[in-house]
Amino acid sequence: MASEEESFAVLVHHRGSIKRKTRSGVKFTDKNPLYIVVNRTTSYDDLVRSVLMKLGLEGAKRIMFLCRRQFPEVRTPELLAKLVDVVSSSGGSNRNTTNVATAAGSSSMAAVASSSVPVYEPAAQLVASPTFAVDLNDGVRDEVGSFDVLPNALHGVPPVGVGDGELGDPNEDDVEPETIEDDSGDEVVAAGPALAGGFGARDAEGNAGLTEFQVGQQFQDKDEALLSVKTYVGKCSEFGNGCTWLIRLSLRKRKGIWEVKRYNGPHTCLATSISSDHRSLDHSVISAFIMPMVRADASVSIKVLLNATAAHFGFRPTYRRVWMAKQKAVGLIYGDWDESYSEIPRWVLGVQLTMPGTVAVLRTSPVRVGGQVDESQAYFHRLFWTFPPCIEAFRHCKPLVSIDGTHLYGKYGGTLLIAIAQDGNSNILPVAFALVEGENAESWTFFLSHLRQHVTPQPGLLVISDRHNGIKSALEAPDGGWLPPSAYRAFCIRHVAANFALTFKGKDARRLLVNAAYAKTEVEFDYWFDILRSENPAMCEWANRNDYSLWTQHHDEGRRFGHMTTNISECVNSILKGVRNLPVASLVKATYGRLAELFVRKGREAEAQVGTGQQFSQHLVKCIEANLKTARCFTVTLYDRDNSEFTVAETTPTGTFSLGTYRVSLASQTCDCGYFQALHFPCQHALACCAYARVSWSSYVHSVYQITSVFNVYWMGFTPPILEGFWPPYDGPTVIPDPNRRRAREGRPRSTRIRTNMDEADPNRPKRCGLCRQPGHTRRCCPQVVGSSQTGRN
């Protein structure tokens, strides 16, 4: 710290241009400075009087200090002052003004204003930044540093720009609009009492705003300025009620940048709790905040994003606004929602060039303008696609296919139809896709006709689906190729149970129906059905409306291979997670990448099992080992040696519905227990017969369970995609989205999912928090809520 006797030199420049901008900072051009000596006891009035006396203008002029420049090597700041005429008693004034630059000793002030004619009210706290800007004739920005020694004359003087911002050249080229608008229509009022209400995140001590602004802060464009201001924006909601937080922006035309011209901060209010929504917290600001979360998982729920936004900003936006923010974030990451439709024709050409044999069928509908068809554009209608590895894989999968649809969650509605197969190791595999307007007879006919033609031409195929009338119409079409004996149909038991629960309430009744459907023998089916009839005869009447072969396992003649559901949820969650939230072009591209990854991973697993000399899949080996443990408790009797027919008596009952004695035919691969013919590998009774006859059980296993078949499913891999720049050109009409499919622009987006009893949570699953969706705690003790409340108390 300097002593009180320490003195400092003051430079006065009074010729022509006062300053010019260089790479090293601001330099003053006057070569004849006027030196004035001050010390720490010099008052502000003494400093002003000394400058005016040296200039010979005492009584005729007054000084307003605007900015300063520091010389780090000598710790001497240089102050820029402006001379203003003193108004005479008659009201006249001298029109001449002079710009003066002075240098005083080390100081932490940015600029000073005359105490005789106060321009700014003194600030109790300086702006928390080492820099600020003051504009003169050429709009140059001055740099400000910090100092250890502060002359008394400069104590308590506010920096320029913290007040009304009226100093500076009248020819200043800044444009300060009354309102600053962004794309969302939200406004940030530029100045004065009409300034828009603002918000700011609070730190652990409860202070509003994680980062303070400073006068002179600059931005490259309007969007950056708006985003920054809206993050710690405008006028505090408690303005005029104990808080003076305020900010003001202006556009500098020559530089094309936005600059903070006025700032009062930090917050002085005591509001700490999460309050209601704020109009300046628009979807653009929320989109920038949630971008990392959406990039990591496009399927992240709106509720999770809403809670994270509220915890960060201190305001809880509406569900609709967060939904719009997510759509914008997805569009920025994965491409524009509208433009993605125009990319589909080129993707079709590109993927067919990448993998010859790829099937992609695009259907469009005409665009009519004023009654005339616009040949340059076409509405997207439907798209079917599948890849050669999927076509080849299905030849080695179980002879059944599950079909179902799932809704799209993006800006435009629609339905993704999926055909799912299963290999001999119980791995699910999507083999075909279609984007359609919704589930109806026409869309299902479009999907199933191409599925039958390109992917599943095998005879005797089983199709597992729900009871949708559109599927029924498509499968029963005479020329569709899905009628028996070419193909058979079966219902997904989860959908059947959900429809049953709409009429008959209660989980117990639904459980009885499901148990009856899973029964592999007629005895077991009758047992559960009798209980159902005793509960309510109307339940049995409802079940009898559908043929037993459609929804029960003991009547399906072994076509199900034990599969009772469509596996659509497992497919979406394990393989296609998040794709429903993407623009259509990114969605179809994602199917290629996800399947390529799946084929590599499962192919390596199968190859490793082949390398170890295994004959069957791991799933089958586990089932056989479990059956062998109980096969030792049986007494086997041979009845027909030629036809390999046996009876097996259980010395100890092995199940709830034990018959005591079972007939087993190895030749026809049947057993009274129903497992042998339903699952197509030996049950525990058949294994006992094989051991008695000293024959290998492996010859009675369906070929789909062989490890070579599993390996062949994933044998054909995917080709690395060709870069989009090398895709063939597309010369057809521009494909655009159908405006009728756009979701509602106002209000909370309407859910397209019809929630039924299938959506009820499994009681054995761990409970999850309703806010952050993480296990281990509830909504009441969620860390987000606890953290926010603790911040408020601090």
Side-chain angles (χ1 to χ4, degrees):
M1 178 68 68
S3 63
E4 293 188 0
E5 289 74 18
E6 183 177 358
S7 60
F8 308 94
V10 176
L11 300 180
V12 179
H13 303 267
H14 51 87
R15 292 181 183 270
S17 178
I18 295 300
K19 63 177 183 173
R20 60 185 176 87
K21 183 71 175 292
T22 66
R23 288 188 175 181
S24 59
V26 178
K27 291 187 178 180
F28 295 92
T29 58
D30 189 4
K31 298 182 180 180
N32 298 314
L34 177 65
Y35 291 88
I36 298 178
V37 178
V38 297
N39 54 46
R40 292 183 58 83
T41 60
T42 303
S43 66
Y44 173 76
D45 292 336
D46 293 338
L47 173 62
V48 173
R49 189 178 302 108
S50 298
V51 173
L52 293 177
M53 288 179 60
K54 289 290 186 179
L55 294 175
L57 298 174
E58 187 176 8
K61 299 283 186 179
R62 54 187 175 86
I63 295 179
M64 291 188 298
F65 294 101
L66 300 181
C67 68
R68 70 176 181 181
R69 176 191 172 213
Q70 180 187 358
F71 298 93
E73 60 274 9
V74 295
R75 299 174 59 216
T76 303
E78 188 169 2
L79 300 178
L80 175 64
K82 187 173 183 179
L83 299 180
V84 181
D85 293 337
V86 176
V87 180
S88 63
S89 58
S90 61
S93 64
N94 188 351
R95 294 297 178 183
N96 297 326
T97 61
T98 305
N99 289 326
V100 180
T102 65
S106 299
S107 169
S108 62
M109 68 157 287
V112 293
S114 172
S115 60
S116 59
V117 184
V119 180
Y120 310 113
E121 296 181 2
Q125 179 178 349
L126 297 182
V127 177
S129 171
T131 63
F132 69 94
V134 174
D135 298 319
L136 294 179
N137 296 341
D138 54 356
V140 178
R141 180 176 182 268
D142 295 334
E143 302 294 335
V144 181
S146 60
F147 311 94
D148 297 331
V149 182
L150 180 64
N152 292 344
L154 307 181
H155 272 291
V157 182
V160 171
V162 177
D164 295 334
E166 296 175 353
L167 292 184
D169 197 329
N171 297 324
E172 176 73 319
D173 57 352
D174 291 352
V175 176
E176 301 180 4
E178 275 300 313
T179 59
I180 303 173
E181 300 181 356
D182 62 0
D183 294 337
S184 67
D186 290 337
E187 298 177 353
V188 178
V189 183
L195 188 64
F199 59 87
R202 299 180 180 273
D203 56 22
E205 288 72 25
N207 298 322
L210 298 177
T211 304
E212 290 299 324
F213 290 99
Q214 61 268 1
V215 175
Q217 184 175 348
Q218 299 178 347
F219 306 93
Q220 295 300 319
D221 52 41
K222 174 184 174 182
D223 291 337
E224 181 183 350
L226 287 175
L227 181 60
S228 178
V229 171
K230 286 184 178 181
T231 305
Y232 313 94
V233 78
K235 186 168 74 174
C236 178
S237 59
E238 298 295 323
F239 191 84
N241 189 26
C243 187
T244 60
W245 196 93
L246 187 69
I247 191 168
R248 180 182 181 186
L249 287 176
S250 66
L251 172 64
R252 302 184 62 181
K253 284 186 176 180
R254 294 185 183 180
K255 293 187 177 180
I257 59 176
W258 289 78
E259 180 177 302
V260 176
K261 296 298 294 181
R262 178 182 178 184
Y263 176 65
N264 291 346
H267 285 266
T268 58
C269 60
L270 299 178
T272 57
S273 60
I274 295 180
S275 60
S276 59
D277 189 18
H278 194 286
R279 75 187 188 99
S280 292
L281 184 60
D282 67 0
H283 75 282
S284 298
V285 179
I286 300 174
S287 175
F289 169 69
I290 67 176
M291 188 81 70
M293 290 181 280
V294 177
R295 190 185 302 274
D297 181 10
S299 63
V300 59
S301 68
I302 301 299
K303 182 180 291 186
V304 171
L305 297 177
L306 191 152
N307 293 325
T309 302
H312 178 76
F313 291 104
F315 290 86
R316 181 172 293 277
T318 62
Y319 184 99
R320 171 73 182 185
R321 190 171 297 180
V322 179
W323 183 87
M324 293 176 61
K326 181 181 178 182
Q327 305 313 308
K328 182 171 183 178
V330 170
L332 292 174
I333 297 173
Y334 299 100
D336 183 78
W337 290 94
D338 295 337
E339 294 179 358
S340 65
Y341 286 88
S342 63
E343 298 177 13
I344 292 180
R346 287 203 66 218
W347 175 84
V348 170
L349 298 176
V351 73
Q352 290 176 341
L353 178 64
T354 300
M355 290 205 72
T358 297
V359 178
V361 182
L362 175 63
R363 294 285 185 265
T364 60
S365 57
V367 175
R368 298 184 181 275
V369 180
Q372 300 294 327
V373 176
D374 185 357
E375 300 292 344
S376 63
Q377 293 180 327
Y379 289 135
F380 175 86
H381 189 44
R382 297 177 185 134
L383 174 67
F384 172 90
W385 74 98
T386 186
F387 308 108
C390 298
I391 299 174
E392 177 64 24
F394 188 77
R395 298 175 182 173
H396 307 282
C397 289
K398 297 174 183 177
L400 59 89
V401 60
S402 301
I403 58 173
D404 206 344
T406 180
H407 296 287
L408 303 183
Y409 292 158
K411 180 178 179 180
Y412 293 92
T415 302
L416 174 65
L417 305 182
I418 309 175
I420 305 169
Q422 191 172 60
D423 65 14
N425 201 26
S426 294
N427 297 314
I428 56 176
L429 172 69
V431 294
F433 311 88
L435 282 174
V436 297
E437 68 280 9
E439 293 191 63
N440 52 56
E442 292 77 14
S443 62
W444 276 115
T445 300
F446 169 78
F447 177 64
L448 290 174
S449 62
H450 290 290
L451 178 68
R452 188 63 166 167
Q453 177 182 356
H454 302 292
V455 184
T456 61
Q458 297 87 344
L461 196 69
L462 180 70
V463 179
I464 303 177
S465 68
D466 59 25
R467 303 194 306 160
H468 196 283
N469 290 330
I471 299 178
K472 178 182 178 181
S473 176
L475 292 177
E476 293 179 355
D479 56 347
W482 295 104
L483 293 174
S486 298
Y488 300 88
R489 187 188 183 192
F491 291 154
C492 169
I493 189 57
R494 291 186 65 219
H495 289 86
V496 172
N499 295 331
F500 176 83
L502 295 177
T503 305
F504 304 99
K505 307 299 180 182
K507 295 183 179 180
D508 292 338
R510 185 180 58 171
R511 178 178 57 83
L512 293 174
L513 182 72
V514 171
N515 289 344
Y518 271 88
K520 294 179 175 62
T521 64
E522 187 174 359
V523 173
E524 183 180 357
F525 173 82
D526 292 338
Y527 172 84
W528 291 112
F529 217 63
D530 290 341
I531 298 178
L532 194 66
R533 184 179 291 107
S534 64
E535 291 285 335
N536 187 350
M539 296 181 182
C540 293
E541 294 177 3
W542 185 95
N544 288 330
R545 296 174 188 173
N546 298 302
D547 191 271
Y548 285 171
S549 63
L550 294 175
W551 64 279
T552 63
Q553 190 169 193
H554 82 282
H555 273 288
D556 73 343
E557 301 180 5
R559 298 189 184 95
R560 284 183 179 263
F561 277 72
H563 299 292
M564 300 296 294
T565 64
T566 58
N567 293 318
I568 182 66
S569 59
E570 291 82 359
C571 177
V572 171
N573 292 332
S574 62
I575 302 174
L576 303 176
K577 184 177 178 62
V579 299
R580 296 183 296 172
N581 304 83
L582 304 181
V584 292
S586 297
L587 187 154
V588 295
K589 294 176 184 178
T591 59
Y592 189 93
R594 301 284 180 88
L595 287 174
E597 179 185 357
L598 176 68
F599 271 65
V600 170
R601 184 175 70 254
K602 295 301 181 182
R604 288 175 177 174
E605 295 176 2
E607 185 177 12
Q609 295 174 29
V610 171
T612 59
Q614 297 183 23
Q615 185 179 358
F616 299 102
S617 66
Q618 290 181 339
H619 171 73
L620 179 79
V621 171
K622 292 179 180 180
C623 293
I624 293 296
E625 290 177 352
N627 289 338
L628 285 174
K629 292 180 180 180
T630 57
R632 303 168 185 174
C633 305
F634 301 144
T635 301
V636 180
T637 303
L638 176 62
Y639 275 80
D640 189 336
R641 180 177 180 181
D642 295 333
N643 296 324
S644 300
E645 294 184 356
F646 306 82
T647 60
V648 179
E650 294 182 347
T651 57
T652 302
T654 58
T656 306
F657 302 96
S658 175
L659 300 178
T661 302
Y662 297 85
R663 294 173 300 170
V664 178
S665 174
L666 295 181
S668 59
Q669 299 184 12
T670 60
C671 178
D672 286 346
C673 71
Y675 281 79
F676 199 176
Q677 55 268 35
L679 304 180
H680 300 277
F681 60 80
C683 62
Q684 52 196 357
H685 309 105
L687 290 176
C689 295
C690 290
Y692 180 86
R694 296 183 181 181
V695 296
S696 175
W697 54 264
S698 59
S699 58
Y700 302 104
V701 177
H702 195 284
S703 61
V704 73
Y705 294 108
Q706 295 180 359
I707 192 62
T708 53
S709 296
V710 177
F711 176 77
N712 290 333
V713 171
Y714 307 101
W715 174 79
M716 185 177 182
F718 283 75
T719 304
I722 298 176
L723 297 178
E724 296 185 17
F726 297 96
W727 289 357
Y730 169 71
D731 299 328
T734 302
V735 179
I736 61 176
D738 189 340
N740 295 325
R741 295 194 196 176
R742 174 148 188 192
R743 296 187 183 274
R745 298 174 182 265
E746 298 180 357
R748 178 169 178 157
R750 183 175 61 88
S751 175
T752 54
R753 180 181 179 88
I754 302 175
R755 302 190 66 84
T756 64
N757 297 82
M758 289 195 301
D759 298 305
E760 295 180 359
D762 185 351
N764 298 323
R765 293 180 59 186
K767 301 295 184 182
R768 292 181 178 270
C769 173
L771 295 177
C772 66
R773 307 305 301 167
Q774 297 300 317
H777 62 272
T778 61
R779 177 193 298 262
R780 182 173 299 178
C781 56
C782 179
Q784 291 187 3
V785 177
V786 174
S788 301
S789 60
Q790 290 179 350
T791 300
R793 287 193 293 269
N794 292 332

